[in-house]
Amino acid sequence: MNAEVLFGLAGAVLAGLGLYGLVADPAPLRKLLAFNLLGGGVFLVFGVVARRGAAAGLGGDPVPQALVITGLVVAFAATALAVALLRLLFERTGQTLLDSAAPERTSPDQADE
Amino acid sequence: MTAPALADMPTAGGFLLVLAIMLPIAGVLLQFMLGGRQAERIALLVMPAGLAVAVAVTAALVRSGRPLVYHLGSLAPPLGLSLRADGFSALMLMTTALIVGAIGLFARADFATPTGPVEARQPFVFWTLLLALWSALAVVFLGQDLFTLYVGLELLTFGAVPLVSLDGRAETLTAALRYLLFALFGSAFFLAGTVLFYGEYGTLDIALLAARTHPDTTSAIAVAMMTAGLLAKTALFPFHLWLPPAHAGAPAPASALLSSLVVKGPFFLVVRLWFGAMPGLTDLPAAQLLGALGAGAVLFGGVLALRQPRLKPLIAYSTVAQLGYLFLMFPLAGGEGLPASVRMAVWTGGAVQAVSHAFAKAAMFAGAGLIGQALGHDRIGGLRGVGRALPVTTFALALAGLSLMGLPPSGGFLAKWLLVRASIVTAQWWWAALVLAGGLLAGGYIFRIIAPALSAPEQPLPAIPAPARRREAVVLALALVSVLLGVVPFGLTTLLAVGSPAIAHIVPR
């Protein structure tokens, strides 16, 4: 097993874990972290693609590296937007769950505090 | 590998495509520089200029009969990036420019710049996001590089999500957050597919991919991931869960933009992917699966729209249903040896459905906003007598409903007629049955709005403040366009044929 296969598999595992968390975890903050894991896996696979596609004598194909940097910026912006929304939601309702129907402050769910 | 086809060389007038993207973005930058006091004025100034660019692009396509192409920095792909406008792109650019302009005029009352010395947050956010969305849509309609399209998609999401929670209520914040999480799933999957394509073929340019792609496992996985991601963003059944609360909770002008234009962006990319980057994909059984999901959307969205107690959620579920029709393009345009005329009919049908739904839905959400402001609520049970109080708005809702139902002579009728005819020609009668059933459901939910609106109120309505004549005129104009599309479609066929991959697929490469 050479380095590319190893990193490729690691990327796939990360992406799989992230996808599972994004779909299965009920808490939005954890979903967000899972999205970042998923994104990390995809970027890692892209790195492997760069390594494999490199012309003879080059360490890596520069195009995927440039794209990964852009992708990181986009993922960062998305995370910031989601965290801002989540903070606002917490300020308004005192909780950060998506599923409880219309809590709007007066809800009696202080059970888990 | 293959020499780039003549159609992909830069053309005169290609710079218009850069303008189509840059004008709204320049507006956004100016808005940030000059602040909230000038935001509305700048947006209103950019609108006619953007419309002029869209008209110029369309005119250039019709005149030359070939797509417009521009290579950024004069570098040809695979080294550089190219922008390209075919007939469908030009039509979507025109639609976007017209609807953004109309909704801008409509929204001046909702998001007026305050006269006092204090700047308000909501108007500033609305006017900047309006232009930002416009620019993102232009990137999506014109980009030819999968990664450029990914960035365009993300810009679209970042513009759309804050529009949902513009009023900052907990309910809309939840809706926005759910929308964002679905969109993030979509973008991660789109990017993963892009990575696989790059690894397999060494390019992300759609025209180069079209010449290189061959159906193997990697390509299949890549296309499947990208399609799944795009479906989550366009809210096709069963990924539609985020759409009704998001579109129904947003302020009326924002709902109109989201429902008419924003969801069309990811759909457009599914078309680019299936017809452009991987031609021949529609011949596969997977196209039937996309059609089946579309069928699920038509039936499920229609039935749920029938059961909504309030006007805006009803219209939002109607969007879920109408999006389903768009995905009938894929199974209908497939099949070996299908004559070019049938493929072109399906292509036109899909495009006209996208455009006529955009105008109809913008009219309906704007009209629902006027009704909501006049009555102070939008419960369907309380709509009795609205027809007498707001006759123009009610008439516009009925006209837009005509297009959603697919009754002649509306644009919706033309689209559904083309799809039904293609399904009979290709011996796939079940899609025809679906279109008819969807039309019945749409008739049902439109009737639920119009029937009480036209009936006499049980007790005299309290004095309803009449909405501004100008706002009602905008709603009526949007609804009229969605109907007129069915009356004057002749130019549309010519325009849509320009550079259409539906025909190019037949020509041996």
Side-chain angles (χ1 to χ4, degrees):
Chain A
M1 185 185 281
N2 58 8
E4 279 105 55
V5 175
L6 191 64
F7 279 112
L9 284 177
V13 169
L14 272 181
L17 284 173
L19 180 61
Y20 176 78
L22 193 55
V23 173
D25 207 302
L29 186 59
R30 296 174 63 119
K31 273 185 192 288
L32 192 59
L33 294 178
F35 160 73
N36 277 279
L37 213 54
L38 172 55
V42 173
F43 294 142
L44 191 54
V45 172
F46 216 176
V48 173
V49 163
R51 187 67 183 264
R52 281 189 15 177
L58 284 178
D61 179 355
V63 174
Q65 297 177 4
L67 299 188
V68 164
I69 292 173
T70 315
L72 282 173
V73 173
V74 170
F76 171 74
T79 309
L81 179 57
V83 169
L85 277 176
L86 209 53
R87 280 187 52 121
L88 258 181
L89 185 64
F90 183 74
E91 274 173 28
R92 297 282 145 85
T93 64
Q95 51 111 26
T96 59
L97 288 177
L98 287 180
D99 296 329
S100 47
E104 201 87 42
R105 263 196 206 107
T106 49
S107 68
D109 55 348
Q110 270 99 24
D112 50 347
E113 285 195 78
Chain B
M1 219 170 268
T2 45
L6 188 63
D8 294 323
M9 300 307 275
T11 51
F15 191 69
L16 285 173
L17 307 182
V18 181
L19 275 186
I21 295 173
M22 289 311 291
L23 258 182
I25 268 297
V28 174
L29 294 178
L30 262 183
Q31 284 171 328
F32 273 107
M33 265 165 54
L34 300 180
R37 198 143 302 290
Q38 304 295 329
E40 181 183 356
R41 191 169 306 153
I42 293 170
L44 293 173
L45 282 177
V46 170
M47 280 162 194
L51 181 61
V53 171
V55 170
V57 169
T58 312
L61 282 184
V62 173
R63 209 174 325 116
S64 69
R66 341 175 123 265
L68 282 184
V69 179
Y70 184 82
H71 290 168
L72 293 181
S74 304
L75 288 172
L79 204 55
L81 302 174
S82 75
L83 301 174
R84 179 172 177 273
D86 58 12
F88 199 177
S89 318
L91 184 62
M92 293 310 287
L93 276 184
M94 280 290 284
T95 307
T96 309
L98 285 172
I99 291 183
V100 165
I103 294 300
L105 289 182
F106 178 83
R108 289 187 70 186
D110 294 310
F111 299 105
T113 309
T115 43
V118 189
E119 288 185 9
R121 186 188 63 90
Q122 274 200 30
F124 180 67
V125 174
F126 177 80
W127 293 110
T128 46
L129 289 182
L130 182 68
L131 293 188
L133 276 184
W134 191 358
S135 181
L137 281 166
V139 173
V140 166
F141 295 145
L142 299 175
Q144 277 296 292
D145 179 276
L146 290 180
F147 194 80
T148 310
L149 293 173
Y150 164 75
V151 174
L153 264 182
E154 290 307 277
L155 290 178
L156 194 59
T157 302
F158 295 163
V161 168
L163 273 185
V164 170
S165 59
L166 212 50
D167 60 6
R169 282 179 297 135
E171 187 186 321
T172 58
L173 284 172
T174 315
L177 194 57
R178 184 175 285 129
Y179 177 16
L180 183 58
L181 287 171
F182 267 88
L184 290 184
F185 160 82
S187 57
F189 264 52
F190 187 84
L191 187 63
T194 308
V195 170
L196 291 181
F197 262 133
Y198 189 85
E200 182 85 346
Y201 301 110
T203 181
L204 292 174
D205 184 75
I206 287 183
L208 292 178
L209 279 175
R212 291 183 193 179
T213 45
H214 41 81
D216 60 359
T217 319
T218 315
S219 313
I221 295 174
V223 171
M225 290 186 91
M226 294 173 91
T227 308
L230 290 169
L231 295 190
K233 288 199 175 214
T234 199
L236 182 67
F237 175 85
F239 293 115
H240 64 279
L241 289 174
W242 61 265
L243 188 144
H247 288 192
S255 306
L257 290 172
L258 294 169
S259 229
S260 62
L261 296 175
V262 172
V263 287
K264 302 289 171 9
F267 158 73
F268 189 84
L269 292 192
V270 183
V271 173
R272 272 274 177 273
L273 194 61
W274 283 61
F275 287 91
M278 285 280 291
L281 208 57
T282 45
D283 302 344
L284 301 176
Q288 293 285 333
L289 177 66
L290 273 189
L293 292 181
V298 168
L299 298 176
F300 190 82
V303 170
L304 279 177
L306 281 175
R307 301 174 47 133
Q308 296 306 310
R310 287 176 44 227
L311 187 54
K312 283 185 82 181
L314 182 151
I315 302 175
Y317 271 106
S318 148
T319 298
V320 172
Q322 296 287 323
L323 286 172
Y325 291 110
L326 296 173
F327 286 85
L328 299 188
M329 273 176 89
F330 301 97
L332 289 177
E336 288 290 330
L338 198 60
S341 62
V342 178
R343 279 177 163 275
M344 201 48 223
V346 174
W347 182 257
T348 311
V352 173
Q353 166 69 12
V355 172
S356 68
H357 171 253
F359 281 104
K361 204 41 69 79
M364 289 201 88
F365 265 122
L370 288 183
I371 290 179
Q373 277 173 358
L375 296 183
H377 69 82
D378 71 340
R379 288 189 306 280
I380 293 174
L383 285 183
R384 293 176 74 95
V386 163
R388 213 165 286 171
L390 306 174
V392 179
T393 307
T394 311
F395 180 58
L397 283 184
L399 277 184
L402 212 62
S403 196
L404 295 186
M405 281 185 263
L407 288 186
S410 63
F413 165 72
L414 175 68
K416 282 150 200 166
W417 163 249
L418 287 170
L419 292 176
V420 165
R421 214 178 48 174
S423 71
I424 291 167
V425 171
T426 58
Q428 306 185 63
W429 56 267
W430 50 92
W431 301 128
L434 171 80
V435 172
L436 298 180
L440 272 182
L441 286 172
Y445 61 71
I446 298 300
F447 182 76
R448 282 192 61 210
I449 306 174
I450 300 302
L454 291 185
S455 60
E458 280 146 359
Q459 66 242 24
L461 287 173
I464 290 180
R469 188 81 46 83
R470 190 187 300 159
R471 307 187 79 197
E472 286 202 303
V474 170
V475 178
L476 185 62
L478 285 169
L480 273 177
V481 173
S482 83
V483 169
L484 285 179
L485 275 172
V487 185
V488 274
F490 305 106
L492 275 183
T493 336
T494 329
L495 175 63
L496 283 167
V498 176
S500 160
I503 309 179
H505 179 45
I506 305 290
V507 181
R509 294 194 302 275

